């Protein structure tokens, strides 16, 4: 598919994938990968991208590759082992449910805001001392 699809179509397409391939070595966080994970679709990511590789390692939700030969090997593995792909996709889904639900995200934001607020208060009280 090229061009834009609706959100509904996007989620239907992702949910039918065997894996979600992220070839970019320059990601800070891939929403596409997390959306795939949320559907129980494992990732196949460029191992040169530390952030994506860390998500794969932390979730046990996919595979990494570093060159064309490894990419082909992993892709063949995915096609030939559907039971493992399903289990890996379940790991990916659990990872997103645990780490990217609204409760966890809001808690993290509140903690960061509290830490910044405390740092600011400490700096102000230090400045007020003679």
């Amino acid at each position: 598919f090229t061009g834009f699809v609706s959100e509904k179509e996007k989620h239907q397409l992702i949910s039918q994938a065997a894996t979600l391939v992220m070839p970019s070595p320059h990601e800070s966080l891939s929403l596409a990968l997390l959306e795939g994970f949320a559907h129980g679709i494992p990732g196949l990511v460029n191992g040169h991208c530390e952030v994506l590789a860390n998500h794969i390692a932390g979730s046990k939700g996919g595979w990494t590759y570093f060159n064309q030969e490894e990419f082909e090997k992993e892709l063949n593995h995915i096609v030939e082992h559907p039971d493992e792909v399903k289990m890996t996709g379940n790991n990916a889904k659990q990872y997103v449910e645990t780490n990217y639900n609204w409760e966890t995200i809001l808690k993290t934001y509140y903690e960061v805001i509290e830490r910044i607020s405390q740092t600011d208060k400490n700096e102000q009280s230090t400045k007020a001392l003679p």
Side-chain angles (χ1 to χ4, degrees):
F1 291 89
T2 59
F4 293 97
V5 296
S6 70
E7 280 293 306
K8 182 179 177 182
E9 289 172 306
K10 176 181 78 171
H11 289 287
Q12 287 174 337
L13 292 168
I14 290 172
S15 68
Q16 295 173 26
T19 190
L20 197 134
V21 178
M22 290 301 301
S24 173
H26 307 291
E27 294 292 322
S28 58
L29 175 65
S30 171
L31 294 180
L33 181 66
L34 294 179
E35 285 179 320
F37 277 13
H39 283 280
I41 305 303
L44 176 58
V45 306
N46 187 328
H48 294 290
C49 180
E50 185 178 348
V51 173
L52 296 180
N54 286 340
H55 279 294
I56 294 298
S59 67
K60 295 181 178 42
W63 303 269
T64 57
Y65 66 91
F66 290 91
N67 55 47
Q68 183 175 343
E69 182 181 322
E70 289 180 8
F71 176 79
E72 290 173 5
K73 178 180 160 241
E74 295 298 353
L75 205 52
N76 285 329
H77 182 85
I78 290 165
V79 170
E80 294 169 0
H81 297 89
D83 290 339
E84 183 183 333
V85 170
K86 185 167 181 62
M87 182 182 71
T88 305
N90 289 337
N91 293 343
K93 185 173 185 170
Q94 181 63 44
Y95 178 76
V96 168
E97 289 173 354
T98 301
N99 296 291
Y100 293 95
N101 64 65
W102 275 114
E103 184 178 321
T104 301
I105 291 169
L106 290 175
K107 180 180 176 207
T108 301
Y109 274 111
Y110 290 139
E111 289 171 357
V112 168
I113 291 167
E114 182 63 29
R115 221 175 305 131
I116 291 169
S117 174
Q118 290 302 319
T119 301
D120 189 44
K121 286 179 187 174
N122 290 339
E123 287 176 3
Q124 286 179 6
S125 65
T126 304
K127 290 177 184 177
L129 295 175

